[in-house]
Amino acid sequence: MSIEVLAEISRYYGNNPEYILAGGGNTSWKDEDTLFVKASGNSLAQASSDSFVKMDRRALSVIMEKKYPESSEQRESAVLADMMSARKEGEGLKRPSVEALLHDIIPFPFVVHLHPALINGLTCSRDGKKNAEELFGEGMIWIPSVNPGYILSGLVKNEMASYYKKHKKDASVILLQNHGVFAGAHSADGIKKLYNEMMLKIGEKIKRKPDFCNEQITASGDINKNSLHPGLHEKKKEIMELLTQIVGASAFMTSNEISNLIKNKTAFLPVSSAFTPDHIVYSGSDPLFTEAQTVQKIIQEWENHTQKTGRKAKIIAVKEIGIFSAAATVKAAELALLLFKDTVKIAAFTESFGGYLFMTQDKIDFINNWEVERFRSAAST
């Protein structure tokens, strides 16, 4: 019965864009012996009882006590192998969420991990920890920015032990800098109560919300359709067509908020890098801002940017025109814009908590080179 409840609460949050986008977030339920955790690449919005991987909790506990290689690449490969071995029989090709270890060590039956833009306005801000302590007091644990997966799980385990020693109870909320939030409870209603309280308290502190009036969004699949937005001028259309020829698909977006962000390089700074791993996976870590005004020059700068970073920029911001995305498929191009819009939201929310704070370059490099996230991206797009 609890698996059906888990699937229901997964859909509840997965279908609400205020809490989760694309393939992000994960959920779990556990008893003494088994952890049921969302399979990597599965959508919370479409969760069913088959969306979860059954994991042996004794095998997972062994992973947390095991010593792994110092090399991050060797360590993550070994941890993944052990995680796959910790699946119970009959799970086929299902691959557990990268955060399965963390779900296992949080001492509540139900655990829900989400990335709400409103909450990340706090976790991705310069004064995030200070404001979190003022808002939630001792009712939460704050985890500084750290690589997800095994390293994050180890840090959380230690912090939870310290919290319990001090307060004689378990923390039900864990805020992760530049990542998101974990909430644990004994019931689905308990999870909802925690998230409602967080969203309400943070929402009351927000001084400015992003202005998405006059929004236009067009995917490359619609370029030649009669439904093409009349505001998409010939230059925008030509840029999209060239990006589609080079990469496979493109999309375009603008709004009042975006118009303000693309006035110049200084205005673009609050959205010029990555806030969380999800943003890297879907919209990339190296958005290009260009002041070029000819189509040929814009494409040339995009190609130069690709050579410089070693990655094709998924987001191209063109001064006073709008935001373009470039990806292999229409779905991937649309997701890139969706996650960039989330970046725009977070940037606006961080203004209430001391201003924006991006992931550090070493954390960005880890995600860009992590096989786990490449798998998740491929599964989702």
Side-chain angles (χ1 to χ4, degrees), residues 5 8-9 12-13 110 185-196:
V5 175
E8 182 180 350
I9 196 170
Y12 175 82
Y13 287 113
F110 287 92
H186 293 285
S187 67
D189 286 341
I191 292 289
K192 291 179 181 179
K193 185 174 184 290
L194 288 170
Y195 272 105
N196 287 342

Side-chain angles (χ1 to χ4, degrees), residues 3-233:
I3 298 303
E4 283 70 30
V5 175
L6 176 60
E8 182 180 350
I9 196 170
S10 298
R11 293 191 299 270
Y12 175 82
Y13 287 113
N15 283 294
N16 188 335
E18 289 189 6
Y19 286 94
I20 209 70
L21 297 173
N26 37 71
T27 57
S28 70
W29 173 79
K30 57 182 171 288
D31 57 24
E32 290 186 5
D33 301 314
T34 307
L35 169 73
F36 297 81
V37 66
K38 193 199 81 164
S40 185
N42 281 21
S43 166
L44 287 180
Q46 299 173 335
S48 69
S49 57
D50 293 329
S51 301
F52 304 94
V53 187
K54 289 185 288 186
M55 309 289 293
D56 186 327
R57 296 194 66 195
R58 282 168 293 189
L60 290 174
S61 66
V62 170
I63 294 176
M64 291 306 302
E65 302 301 327
K66 188 174 178 180
K67 186 171 179 61
Y68 288 97
E70 298 257 342
S71 162
S72 61
E73 184 175 348
Q74 293 178 352
R75 179 190 67 237
E76 296 306 321
S77 177
V79 170
L80 176 59
D82 287 345
M83 290 261 287
M84 296 296 279
S85 296
R87 296 175 302 167
K88 291 202 168 184
E89 291 185 13
E91 292 305 277
L93 299 176
K94 288 182 182 179
R95 179 166 168 165
S97 164
V98 63
E99 304 298 1
L101 290 170
L102 188 45
H103 280 268
D104 184 62
I105 64 176
I106 294 175
F108 293 94
F110 287 92
V111 177
V112 173
H113 170 45
L114 304 175
H115 311 136
L118 190 63
I119 293 178
N120 275 337
L122 178 69
T123 69
C124 300
S125 64
R126 292 191 184 97
D127 297 333
K129 182 179 180 181
K130 173 186 173 184
N131 280 277
E133 290 171 345
E134 292 175 356
L135 284 169
F136 305 113
E138 296 181 336
M140 62 87 200
I141 292 176
W142 177 273
I143 301 296
S145 184
V146 65
N147 290 337
Y150 178 77
I151 297 298
L152 173 60
S153 298
L155 178 58
V156 170
K157 182 180 180 181
N158 292 336
E159 290 297 320
M160 286 175 58
S162 298
Y163 183 95
Y164 188 86
K165 183 177 181 180
K166 180 178 180 180
H167 301 286
K168 306 306 178 188
K169 65 177 183 179
D170 293 307
S172 55
V173 172
I174 301 169
L175 291 169
L176 310 175
Q177 183 180 16
N178 289 115
H179 191 143
V181 58
F182 276 82
H186 293 285
S187 67
D189 286 341
I191 292 289
K192 291 179 181 179
K193 185 174 184 290
L194 288 170
Y195 272 105
N196 287 342
E197 290 175 350
M198 282 188 280
M199 297 290 274
L200 179 62
K201 286 185 177 181
I202 295 174
E204 289 175 344
K205 295 294 183 180
I206 295 300
K207 300 173 183 176
R208 187 182 78 83
K209 295 181 180 180
D211 179 7
F212 292 120
C213 290
N214 299 315
E215 184 175 68
Q216 299 174 31
I217 299 178
T218 305
S220 57
D222 296 325
I223 290 178
N224 296 313
K225 292 182 180 179
N226 293 331
S227 62
L228 181 65
H229 196 287
L232 194 69
H233 299 144

Side-chain angles (χ1 to χ4, degrees), residues 151-358:
I151 297 298
L152 173 60
S153 298
L155 178 58
V156 170
K157 182 180 180 181
N158 292 336
E159 290 297 320
M160 286 175 58
S162 298
Y163 183 95
Y164 188 86
K165 183 177 181 180
K166 180 178 180 180
H167 301 286
K168 306 306 178 188
K169 65 177 183 179
D170 293 307
S172 55
V173 172
I174 301 169
L175 291 169
L176 310 175
Q177 183 180 16
N178 289 115
H179 191 143
V181 58
F182 276 82
H186 293 285
S187 67
D189 286 341
I191 292 289
K192 291 179 181 179
K193 185 174 184 290
L194 288 170
Y195 272 105
N196 287 342
E197 290 175 350
M198 282 188 280
M199 297 290 274
L200 179 62
K201 286 185 177 181
I202 295 174
E204 289 175 344
K205 295 294 183 180
I206 295 300
K207 300 173 183 176
R208 187 182 78 83
K209 295 181 180 180
D211 179 7
F212 292 120
C213 290
N214 299 315
E215 184 175 68
Q216 299 174 31
I217 299 178
T218 305
S220 57
D222 296 325
I223 290 178
N224 296 313
K225 292 182 180 179
N226 293 331
S227 62
L228 181 65
H229 196 287
L232 194 69
H233 299 144
E234 195 62 33
K235 181 184 288 187
K236 302 172 189 175
K237 179 180 177 181
E238 188 177 349
I239 293 170
M240 288 177 67
E241 288 175 338
L242 280 173
L243 287 172
T244 298
Q245 290 175 16
I246 297 169
V247 183
S250 65
F252 171 79
M253 174 174 66
T254 190
S255 65
N256 288 356
E257 188 77 16
I258 286 172
S259 293
N260 289 328
L261 288 167
I262 60 173
K263 287 179 178 178
N264 52 57
K265 286 186 177 181
T266 300
F268 190 72
L269 286 176
V271 293
S272 61
S273 189
F275 282 123
T276 75
D278 263 21
H279 294 110
I280 297 175
V281 170
Y282 296 106
S283 59
S285 59
D286 307 286
L288 167 65
F289 176 83
T290 175
E291 296 182 343
Q293 290 299 295
T294 68
V295 175
Q296 291 73 22
K297 183 65 175 175
I298 291 167
I299 298 301
Q300 181 183 343
E301 289 201 10
W302 179 78
E303 291 174 339
N304 291 341
H305 187 73
T306 297
Q307 291 183 350
K308 179 181 177 181
T309 63
R311 289 177 294 277
K312 295 176 181 178
K314 296 179 181 179
I315 296 296
I316 305 98
V318 182
K319 182 181 178 180
E320 298 178 348
I321 294 181
I323 304 294
F324 297 86
S325 64
T329 66
V330 171
K331 181 179 180 181
E334 291 174 335
L335 283 176
L337 282 190
L338 183 67
L339 268 294
F340 185 77
K341 184 176 178 179
D342 192 63
T343 293
V344 172
K345 290 180 182 179
I346 292 171
F349 295 148
T350 65
E351 295 173 15
S352 302
F353 306 111
Y356 63 92
L357 179 71
F358 295 127

